[in-house]
Amino acid sequence: MAYFVPLLSTFLFFSIYSQGNALSSNYYAKTCPQAEDTVMKVVKEEAQKDRTVPATLLRMHFHDCFLRGCDASILLSSKGKNTAEKDAPPNGSMHGFYVIDGAKRAVEAICPGVVSCADILAFAARDAVVLSGGPYWDVPKGRKDGRVSRASETTLLPKPTYNISQLQQSFRQRGLSLDDLVALLGAHTLGFTHCSSFMNRIYNFNATHDIDPTLRPSFAASLKSICPLKNRAKNAGTSNDPSPTTFDNTHYRLILQKKSLLSSDHALLTTPKTKSLVYKFATSKAAFHKAFANSMIKMSSLNGGQEVRKDCRVVN
């Protein structure tokens, strides 16, 4: 069955580009040259206290950019009858908002009213990758913060059950190619996945198979022991790969070994183009790191904000 992205997604995409701000590498060269170093210091300190911080910051940046562009709308708090993005189910397990709050306070102390929350989140995501052993890239700067955040729009985020056509359509709507898709899904090398995101693969998969036949049987059995249908522990799940705090290419090797957690990850093997990229990244960490950095620059350049917030949780 053909898959069609909701019209709202197309609307958001074109809004991002029609309102987009020109970004540059030296945007804060005169107004706040210490901004990036200040953010890095905060992220490093918090990551030393909690090794899960890098994964959540990277995921936060993705989820922010994929809705209204990288405008820090994910940082806004719910208000009145409006439920914000951060309180929607796809973001329920994120716990790193305090890191961005701390970075914002540190930057405001030296350059009040200059650096947007959206830029701080983009810096923090890059720093999260670097601190985990991944590549460095020069983050384009000059994003503005948005004034709208709606939980209802998080239904437009790519889902862990997506097939390759759905993934391609979702990324294309944001100006991202198949190459970007394969590279950016490498972010799954960091972090932890809850059972709910892969239960579809280990129970009642379809009319003829209880377990997804593309999963290695021994791996499926281990997942079932972690995620039983009944009496499952709250927040049960498993690390994305054996080195969940290291930004390496293990994730791609697991896909080839039929040990990827998500349907969307295995979907990368279902077209010749994406499969060849999985092989390329599985055999060369350097190739993966280079591609990931380039795709992050491309993704993080989407922006449709209007202001520089004084407090990342509320509009001015």
Side-chain angles (χ1 to χ4, degrees):
M1 181 177 70
Y3 176 82
F4 299 94
V5 171
L7 287 176
L8 178 57
S9 178
T10 304
F11 169 75
L12 289 177
F13 171 73
F14 285 112
S15 293
I16 290 164
Y17 276 94
S18 64
Q19 299 173 19
N21 301 285
L23 307 182
S24 68
S25 61
N26 61 352
Y27 189 83
Y28 298 116
K30 294 182 179 180
T31 56
C32 195
Q34 316 99 310
E36 289 185 85
D37 288 342
T38 302
V39 174
M40 169 60 99
K41 182 180 178 181
V42 173
V43 174
K44 185 175 182 179
E45 289 174 353
E46 296 299 342
Q48 288 173 341
K49 298 174 190 174
D50 181 353
R51 297 183 72 191
T52 68
V53 160
T56 198
L57 291 178
L58 184 56
R59 183 165 169 250
M60 191 184 298
H61 185 46
F62 269 90
H63 283 209
D64 182 47
C65 295
F66 257 72
L67 293 185
R68 294 180 162 268
C70 312
D71 67 344
S73 55
I74 196 169
L75 304 178
L76 288 170
S77 296
S78 298
K79 183 178 180 180
K81 295 182 178 179
N82 179 64
T83 302
E85 292 170 30
K86 66 163 59 172
D87 294 320
N91 298 323
S93 62
M94 282 189 194
H95 59 281
F97 296 102
Y98 68 92
V99 180
I100 303 303
D101 289 336
K104 175 65 171 176
R105 285 193 298 269
V107 172
E108 284 292 300
I110 57 173
C111 311
V114 173
V115 184
S116 67
C117 298
D119 274 348
I120 288 173
L121 180 52
F123 298 155
R126 186 268 317 279
D127 298 341
V129 171
V130 172
L131 291 169
S132 302
Y136 176 92
W137 62 92
D138 188 7
V139 175
K141 306 160 190 72
R143 295 166 192 77
K144 293 296 186 288
D145 300 323
R147 301 190 182 107
V148 177
S149 182
R150 299 190 182 105
S152 59
E153 292 175 0
T154 62
T155 58
L156 300 174
L157 291 169
K159 295 177 176 57
T161 55
Y162 271 7
N163 61 35
I164 195 64
S165 297
Q166 292 168 318
L167 285 170
Q168 185 176 6
Q169 187 80 309
S170 178
F171 277 65
R172 185 189 296 135
Q173 288 295 324
R174 290 147 182 91
L176 300 170
S177 67
L178 269 180
D179 296 70
D180 297 319
L181 163 62
V182 180
L184 291 173
L185 285 191
H188 289 167
T189 187
L190 294 181
F192 178 94
T193 296
H194 290 94
C195 294
S196 58
S197 294
F198 56 82
M199 290 287 280
N200 66 301
R201 302 190 75 192
I202 57 176
Y203 295 105
N204 303 311
F205 179 69
N206 60 27
T208 55
H209 296 93
D210 182 47
I211 297 172
D212 183 347
T214 65
L215 268 178
R216 187 180 291 267
S218 59
F219 182 61
S222 70
L223 294 181
K224 281 197 167 191
S225 68
I226 295 167
C227 304
L229 271 176
K230 296 181 179 180
N231 302 317
R232 187 165 64 252
K234 184 180 180 182
N235 295 324
T238 186
S239 296
N240 289 349
D241 72 30
S243 53
T245 60
T246 302
F247 198 88
D248 55 25
N249 60 340
T250 304
H251 177 67
Y252 297 104
R253 295 201 295 271
L254 292 176
I255 292 175
L256 295 176
Q257 295 166 13
K258 300 184 178 181
K259 290 183 176 181
S260 57
L261 292 174
L262 308 178
S263 297
S264 56
D265 288 329
H266 181 77
L268 299 182
L269 297 182
T270 59
T271 75
K273 173 72 178 290
T274 54
K275 186 175 182 179
S276 68
L277 286 169
V278 170
Y279 273 101
K280 178 181 179 180
F281 297 153
T283 55
S284 174
K285 185 171 72 171
F288 164 49
H289 280 186
K290 181 179 180 180
F292 184 84
N294 289 336
S295 293
M296 283 295 289
I297 291 170
K298 190 173 176 182
M299 182 197 75
S300 72
S301 295
L302 303 173
N303 180 244
Q306 302 83 30
E307 65 183 20
V308 174
R309 284 186 222 136
K310 297 175 183 177
D311 180 336
C312 292
R313 295 177 181 254
V314 295
V315 298
N316 292 341

